[in-house]
Amino acid sequence: GDEERVRRGALQLLRVALRFAGPGGRVRVGLVDDAARYGLRVSAQGPEAAQSGWLGEPLAALRRFALARSGELEFEAMDGTGLCAALWFAREEPRA
């Protein structure tokens, strides 16, 4: 259920962020939450981030992961030196 989805989402996000940051880089992970959804956010910065032409396929895989689980991915690259990504999941309606 939700636990497994979040755990797998965290692993996917961390793979992208750690690879982006590279040696000597920095990665931050946090939980995000609002009334309709919840998720994970990562930001990454690194000295080798500007040479991140490889980002296409890992980012596409992360998007596929989100869509397959009725989620959404927000992604922003920051001047070639950093990235911020959030993986959101819709809250399930309480059962009556």
Side-chain angles (χ1 to χ4, degrees):
D2 285 347
E3 242 178 71
E4 178 66 15
R5 182 170 42 176
V6 171
R7 184 184 69 76
R8 290 189 65 201
L11 289 173
Q12 292 277 353
L13 277 172
L14 283 173
R15 282 186 189 119
V16 169
L18 289 170
R19 192 167 175 192
F20 184 89
R26 186 173 47 193
V27 174
R28 298 179 79 183
V29 179
L31 300 174
V32 288
D33 188 7
D34 69 24
R37 58 193 186 158
Y38 65 94
L40 302 155
R41 176 174 288 139
V42 298
S43 61
Q45 294 180 317
E48 298 177 23
Q51 303 159 5
S52 60
W54 61 267
L55 195 55
E57 178 50 34
L59 189 55
L62 186 54
R63 265 202 184 92
R64 287 191 300 270
F65 174 87
L67 291 173
R69 286 150 185 88
S70 301
E72 61 184 283
L73 176 67
E74 294 173 356
F75 177 83
E76 178 183 357
M78 301 172 279
D79 299 330
T81 62
L83 70 80
C84 183
L87 182 59
W88 292 95
F89 302 107
R91 291 194 187 280
E92 292 183 11
E93 294 294 321
R95 295 181 186 173

